Amino acid sequence: MRPRRSSKHSKRALQVHHSNQTDLSAWRKEGAADAERGAQAHQTLSDERNDSEQVSLEHALSYFKKVQDRVSLKKSEVLRKHLSTVESIALKRGLPPEGFGVLLDVALSGKLADTVNTRLLKSLIPASVIPESSIVSSVSWLCVSKCSSNIQLLFLRWLITMLDFIDHKEQVHALYGIFFSFLNDEKLCPYICHVLYLLTRKVNVKPFRVRRLLDLQSKMGTQPHLQALLALYKLFCPELVSITLPQKMKTYFKNADGPWKAAINTVRQRNQANSAMPQPLLLGTAQPRSRKRKWNIQLTVPASSASTQSLVVGGKMSRVDSYSAHESFPVEQLRTFPQLLQNIHHLEFPSQMGSVLTNPLLLHYLNCSKDESVHLRLYYWLGQTLQEECTWCVVDNNQNEEEFRGFLETIYKAECFLQEGFPSCEDFLYRTLPLWDGVSCRSQILRLVSWIPLSTFSEMKSQLCDPLAQLFFTSSLYFKCSVLESLKELLQNWLNWHVVQLDSQSDSQFDSLNTTLSGLVNGVAELINFVGRISTAALHLERSHTFLLYFILDFYETVCDMYLKYKLPLLIMPPAGVFYPALLSMDSVNLNQLCYIMYRYRANLVAAKENEMSKKEIQQFKFSSQTYQEYNQYIISMVGCLWTSSVFQKDNHPQGIRLDDELLKKTGVQEYKNSFNIVYHPALMCYAVDFLQQAWPDDTTFNFSLIKGKKWNWYLRYLYGQGLEGLKLFIESSINRVSKASQSKPENEEV
């Protein structure tokens, strides 16, 4: 009986176990459903909270709209409540468009105390756009001077910061004359100039305004904000501004976005986190980026209400594609290259000039535009942003290095697209390189260095070369190679610029060409000599490291071909501190590089000599006899080393490797004369060993003396087949000529 009961009990147990498995699956499904219901409940709670905040904000706006008499903040609990509501919602998710007209009117009307008005202005953070009508109304309040000068000043700072968030700007542009009239106020003048700088178009430049600015400058002295506006006027109408303005970029305006900058970033981050859809204005028409800094807000074209118009209706081109001759074309509506071509004379650039950097169409326009104001505005914005956000120039800004690195990368890509550097980047590098540690944003900084435009080398030496040299000698091998690569790209960019300019010059412009060419030749020569000096020192410090030598010779591959490839009448030989380490290198890559470089030097020098003899070249520029003499000394050394085995006897360079026979015998090295020919050279010995193994597979003695006569020619063909193209070109172009000129029988016998 017991076994039977036990069997039943066992079956029941199995049934219970199966039931438990079913319950577990159901529990998991129920758990997932609970999680979904929890998320929905959380969303519902969030929506209810938002609805509650919306109602509170509507009540607050209604209160501020109806307030008439001056109300004390300390005595009115209602005012404190509504003011706190506006502040908290503004800082949390931004204010809706309809709130700006109400709050600006009450803040600038003087109905409330300055303390309240200040808090209201600091709370004006947009969630999307700012209506243009609210700005027009605010300016009308400025004209009647109901508010204090401090509130007027704060409003102007707010306007400068939020100008990019205004949905339209036509009416704001129409207020240009009203803003100009406020220049008489010395306290407001710097910020009025800043507003005018952002709004100025060519049509705004009038003779009476130029005279007014000159009068103000004579009264106030040389003020940067006045100079900024005069410089912009001079670009639009140079015939109206006859005074000489400083050409160097400088900081014209103070930073005006202090109270709102952090709040804008905070609101934008929260709105992105709460919504999967991109915000309509805060990030423009592009998809949102993860970076949070100011420049990333400005790197996309701002969207406006006009951008919501349909681009194509029923297959027909809408008004976005083609604008009349009297109508400007907003760049936020620019989508295709045909649109750019059709509206290229009607483009209206945004105040948000940083958006140009990431928009290929706008970069195309910038590349061919002759409107200097566009370039000036971009350079100004770029200079301001670089100065404010540089991670090693601003205290407690190290945590933003990754974001700043991305910004510098964006600038570099834009410079590559335009094939020229930005003057504001040059100014930034000159000011910050003495403070740079060589580590922060290393790759990006060195890339920007490669786009520095050509200028007088005395200025470059003190502001670029000296700081780089200090870091160069005290940093790692990798940093040294990175600097050399950057300077090589800098040289190539200068030479490419010269080729473009040369092709664009006509025969009737030789005089100006000579002037430009003289400055270029001097600048390039100084740069090459600088690289030669630091390379010589670096090879001593790094014990002629192969990796370092490769980058040095890579630089001289550009130098050796400047005459034929870049049409520049200049050739500079590498210093002995570079030539001899490469000649005696233990790496075949370095030796092959050197052979190719000397082959190209010969081709360029021969071409220059032929042109001088035929007098086809401009006679103002001739290669010095020292260049030919130094080349001949190097050739004698190379031939004596690689071919005739006479380098120790015939090297006549002051820093060469000429040694007495007695001293060489004391070394105890057998066949010391042959130590550096193409068979025994440390860089080529591995090839000689492999050749012997193939030619005499049964001989294990590695007798290098077997490579002579016909075997020597076989060995040469073997070397050529190993990819040593530079060695081949050098031998075929120079060896036979020098050997015949020397007429040395022992050397010929060794061959």
Side-chain angles (χ1 to χ4, degrees):
M1 295 296 296
R2 286 183 182 177
R4 196 173 293 175
R5 283 197 300 266
S6 177
S7 176
K8 290 180 180 180
H9 181 73
S10 176
K11 290 180 180 180
R12 287 186 190 135
L14 290 173
Q15 292 173 358
V16 170
H17 180 66
H18 178 73
S19 177
N20 287 340
Q21 286 183 331
T22 305
D23 292 343
L24 181 60
S25 301
W27 176 81
R28 286 176 177 171
K29 293 180 181 179
E30 184 178 355
D34 290 342
E36 184 176 354
R37 285 194 296 271
Q40 293 176 353
H42 178 75
Q43 183 64 34
T44 302
L45 183 62
S46 177
D47 293 340
E48 292 176 355
R49 189 183 299 111
N50 290 336
D51 292 340
S52 176
E53 291 177 350
Q54 184 65 27
V55 172
S56 300
L57 179 61
E58 290 175 357
H59 290 165
L61 293 177
S62 177
Y63 170 81
F64 284 115
K65 186 175 183 179
K66 296 177 181 179
V67 66
Q68 296 294 334
D69 300 327
R70 197 176 186 89
V71 182
S72 173
L73 181 63
K74 294 182 179 179
K75 296 180 180 180
S76 176
E77 183 178 351
V78 177
L79 176 59
R80 292 198 299 271
K81 173 186 175 183
H82 291 313
L83 183 59
S84 299
T85 298
V86 170
E87 288 178 324
S88 61
I89 294 177
L91 294 175
K92 182 178 180 181
R93 54 188 176 91
L95 296 177
E98 60 270 15
F100 286 90
V102 175
L103 297 179
L104 282 170
D105 283 347
V106 72
L108 299 175
S109 63
K111 296 177 182 179
L112 302 175
D114 277 4
T115 304
V116 179
N117 295 333
T118 300
R119 291 173 62 179
L120 285 175
L121 286 175
K122 291 183 177 181
S123 301
L124 295 179
I125 309 299
S128 56
V129 298
I130 299 175
E132 185 181 31
S133 58
S134 64
I135 305 300
V136 176
S137 176
S138 301
V139 175
S140 68
W141 281 113
L142 285 184
C143 295
V144 297
S145 301
K146 290 289 186 178
C147 58
S148 66
S149 59
N150 289 333
I151 297 300
Q152 291 178 348
L153 188 66
L154 188 62
F155 167 74
L156 290 175
R157 294 177 61 191
W158 175 85
L159 179 61
I160 292 168
T161 306
M162 301 297 175
L163 195 62
D164 298 326
F165 295 91
I166 302 174
D167 55 358
H168 298 283
K169 294 190 180 68
E170 286 306 316
Q171 295 181 22
V172 177
H173 279 290
L175 300 175
Y176 191 92
I178 297 177
F179 283 118
F180 195 88
S181 65
F182 283 99
L183 287 174
N184 296 326
D185 192 319
E186 291 189 13
K187 188 175 182 180
L188 300 181
C189 185
Y191 296 99
I192 289 294
C193 286
H194 199 164
V195 173
L196 293 173
Y197 188 91
L198 296 174
L199 295 178
T200 297
R201 298 170 173 175
K202 187 172 184 178
V203 69
N204 301 125
V205 182
K206 304 293 184 182
F208 74 90
R209 287 178 178 151
V210 175
R211 289 195 297 270
R212 183 58 185 156
L213 289 175
L214 294 175
D215 291 341
L216 287 174
Q217 185 167 259
S218 63
K219 293 178 182 179
M220 299 181 182
T222 304
Q223 300 295 328
H225 48 274
L226 294 175
Q227 284 192 333
L229 207 50
L230 282 170
L232 187 58
Y233 280 13
K234 189 170 185 176
L235 286 174
F236 279 121
C237 300
E239 69 279 3
L240 296 181
V241 184
S242 58
I243 64 171
T244 302
L245 298 171
Q247 295 183 354
K248 287 299 297 179
M249 293 292 296
K250 60 190 299 184
T251 303
Y252 289 127
F253 305 111
K254 295 181 180 179
N255 184 17
D257 60 4
W260 302 278
K261 177 180 175 181
I264 290 174
N265 288 334
T266 302
V267 169
R268 184 169 58 88
Q269 294 169 38
R270 288 177 178 172
N271 288 344
Q272 288 180 13
N274 295 332
S275 175
M277 298 295 293
Q279 298 301 313
L281 179 73
L282 290 176
L283 292 178
T285 57
Q287 291 297 320
R289 296 169 178 260
S290 60
R291 301 187 178 96
K292 303 177 283 297
R293 304 297 293 172
K294 167 187 171 184
W295 57 77
N296 291 296
I297 300 176
Q298 301 231 18
L299 289 183
T300 50
V301 179
S304 69
S305 57
S307 64
T308 59
Q309 300 171 358
S310 60
L311 298 180
V312 179
V313 180
K316 296 182 179 181
M317 184 182 299
S318 70
R319 77 178 195 89
V320 174
D321 291 306
S322 182
Y323 273 56
S324 66
H326 304 287
E327 197 172 1
S328 61
F329 184 85
V331 293
E332 64 266 16
Q333 299 176 9
L334 192 62
R335 297 289 187 275
T336 64
F337 196 75
Q339 279 184 335
L340 173 65
L341 296 179
Q342 292 171 4
N343 301 281
I344 194 167
H345 298 297
H346 312 296
L347 283 180
E348 177 189 355
F349 266 67
S351 299
Q352 205 171 71
M353 288 303 294
S355 59
V356 176
L357 296 178
T358 55
N359 191 313
L361 295 176
L362 296 185
L363 287 175
H364 274 300
Y365 175 79
L366 191 68
N367 205 20
C368 63
S369 173
K370 295 182 179 180
D371 187 355
E372 292 293 339
S373 65
V374 175
H375 298 82
L376 185 63
R377 288 171 57 196
L378 176 62
Y379 300 158
Y380 162 71
W381 174 83
L382 204 54
Q384 288 283 101
T385 306
L386 287 169
Q387 179 185 2
E388 294 169 10
E389 306 297 342
C390 177
T391 53
W392 57 88
C393 293
V394 181
V395 180
D396 298 330
N397 204 23
N398 294 329
Q399 66 273 19
N400 301 313
E401 181 179 335
E402 186 65 29
E403 299 161 4
F404 188 60
R405 182 183 293 112
F407 179 55
L408 296 179
E409 191 71 28
T410 299
I411 297 174
Y412 171 73
K413 291 178 180 178
E415 289 182 331
C416 291
F417 186 94
L418 298 172
Q419 287 296 292
E420 63 178 340
F422 297 127
S424 48
C425 286
E426 177 190 9
D427 183 62
F428 164 73
L429 291 171
Y430 285 166
R431 285 186 290 103
T432 59
L433 278 179
L435 306 175
W436 186 42
D437 59 3
V439 177
S440 302
C441 307
R442 175 197 295 167
S443 176
Q444 289 72 31
I445 290 296
L446 292 179
R447 287 179 178 180
L448 292 180
V449 166
S450 67
W451 282 110
I452 291 179
L454 178 65
S455 59
T456 56
F457 193 79
S458 58
E459 182 179 5
M460 286 189 62
K461 183 180 184 303
S462 60
Q463 301 188 45
L464 173 69
C465 296
D466 290 348
L468 270 183
Q470 293 178 10
L471 290 170
F472 184 84
F473 294 132
T474 58
S475 299
S476 65
L477 173 67
Y478 177 77
F479 181 83
K480 292 182 176 69
C481 296
S482 300
V483 170
L484 290 169
E485 179 70 15
S486 175
L487 295 177
K488 184 200 76 171
E489 292 177 358
L490 174 64
L491 175 62
Q492 288 177 337
N493 290 332
W494 286 1
L495 296 173
N496 288 329
W497 173 86
H498 165 66
V499 171
V500 173
Q501 294 297 315
L502 196 63
D503 292 341
S504 63
Q505 296 286 350
S506 63
D507 294 337
S508 61
Q509 295 175 308
F510 273 134
D511 292 336
S512 60
L513 173 62
N514 289 343
T515 304
T516 305
L517 196 57
S518 176
L520 177 66
V521 167
N522 293 335
V524 169
E526 291 288 351
L527 176 63
I528 295 172
N529 290 330
F530 169 73
V531 173
R533 290 192 297 271
I534 64 173
S535 298
T536 300
L539 287 172
H540 282 290
L541 291 173
E542 301 293 343
R543 298 181 180 180
S544 300
H545 197 285
T546 300
F547 193 58
L548 176 64
L549 192 55
Y550 171 83
F551 281 90
I552 295 173
L553 294 175
D554 193 40
F555 176 84
Y556 280 98
E557 280 193 29
T558 301
V559 175
C560 70
D561 234 354
M562 292 190 299
Y563 183 76
L564 288 178
K565 187 175 181 180
Y566 298 101
K567 303 178 183 179
L568 187 71
L570 176 68
L571 279 181
I572 298 178
M573 303 300 298
V578 170
F579 173 79
Y580 284 102
L583 179 60
L584 306 179
S585 172
M586 299 184 68
D587 188 271
S588 61
V589 174
N590 295 149
L591 181 62
N592 188 64
Q593 276 183 293
L594 179 64
C595 290
Y596 177 78
I597 289 170
M598 296 306 294
Y599 160 73
R600 293 309 303 167
Y601 269 121
R602 180 183 181 279
N604 281 256
L605 288 170
V606 168
K609 196 67 173 178
E610 291 176 351
N611 285 328
E612 288 178 9
M613 297 298 292
S614 62
K615 297 183 180 180
K616 291 182 179 179
E617 288 292 301
I618 304 174
Q619 294 301 304
Q620 179 182 352
F621 302 100
K622 292 184 179 180
F623 292 165
S624 66
S625 59
Q626 181 182 355
T627 303
Y628 291 101
Q629 180 182 357
E630 195 168 9
Y631 169 79
N632 290 332
Q633 289 175 336
Y634 284 163
I635 283 294
I636 292 173
S637 298
M638 287 191 69
V639 173
C641 180
L642 298 175
W643 194 263
T644 62
S645 302
S646 60
V647 65
F648 297 120
Q649 292 78 30
K650 295 191 175 183
D651 189 352
N652 58 359
H653 194 280
Q655 301 179 39
I657 54 176
R658 183 187 182 101
L659 295 173
D660 294 333
D661 289 341
E662 294 183 1
L663 183 61
L664 290 169
K665 291 177 181 179
K666 291 181 180 180
T667 62
V669 177
Q670 297 181 357
E671 300 293 336
Y672 58 83
K673 291 184 178 181
N674 301 329
S675 297
F676 291 100
N677 66 20
I678 59 174
V679 176
Y680 292 90
H681 197 290
L684 302 175
M685 188 174 290
C686 60
Y687 295 104
V689 170
D690 188 58
F691 175 77
L692 288 174
Q693 288 179 337
Q694 294 184 27
W696 294 277
D698 298 331
D699 189 356
T700 59
T701 60
F702 298 113
N703 186 3
F704 295 108
S705 62
L706 294 175
I707 305 177
K708 59 182 179 180
K710 292 183 179 180
K711 304 299 190 302
W712 180 278
N713 295 329
W714 295 353
Y715 177 60
L716 275 181
R717 288 195 292 269
Y718 167 79
L719 290 177
Y720 298 162
Q722 301 304 309
L724 300 176
E725 188 66 23
L727 180 66
K728 175 185 178 182
L729 293 171
F730 173 76
I731 291 176
E732 291 180 348
S733 63
S734 301
I735 292 294
N736 292 335
R737 180 173 291 100
V738 175
S739 297
K740 291 177 182 178
S742 62
Q743 295 181 357
S744 175
K745 292 183 180 180
E747 292 169 359
N748 292 334
E749 288 177 358
E750 288 185 358
V751 174

